[in-house]
Amino acid sequence: MLFWDVNNGISRRSWARNEGALFAIKRTMEAEHLLKVTVPNIVADNLLDF
């Protein structure tokens, strides 16, 4: 359970665009093939300006 709890926290932080958490969850998914997390696609801020 601890494994999943820790990765759940990392996932939430990656969804908040935390670069370190995004790196960590991608690296963990490479090592643990059963772990599947939808990671955010980061876009440039100027693309969001209307």
Side-chain angles (χ1 to χ4, degrees), residues 17 41-49:
R17 300 190 313 171
N41 293 309
I42 309 300
V43 298
D45 288 336
N46 65 340
L47 293 177
L48 300 175
D49 292 336

Side-chain angles (χ1 to χ4, degrees), residues 5-29:
D5 286 344
V6 170
N7 286 311
N8 187 19
I10 295 171
S11 298
R12 284 187 287 111
R13 286 168 179 81
S14 74
W15 297 328
R17 300 190 313 171
N18 179 300
E19 291 180 17
L22 190 54
F23 172 79
I25 201 64
K26 286 180 179 179
R27 184 180 60 185
T28 304
M29 283 193 299

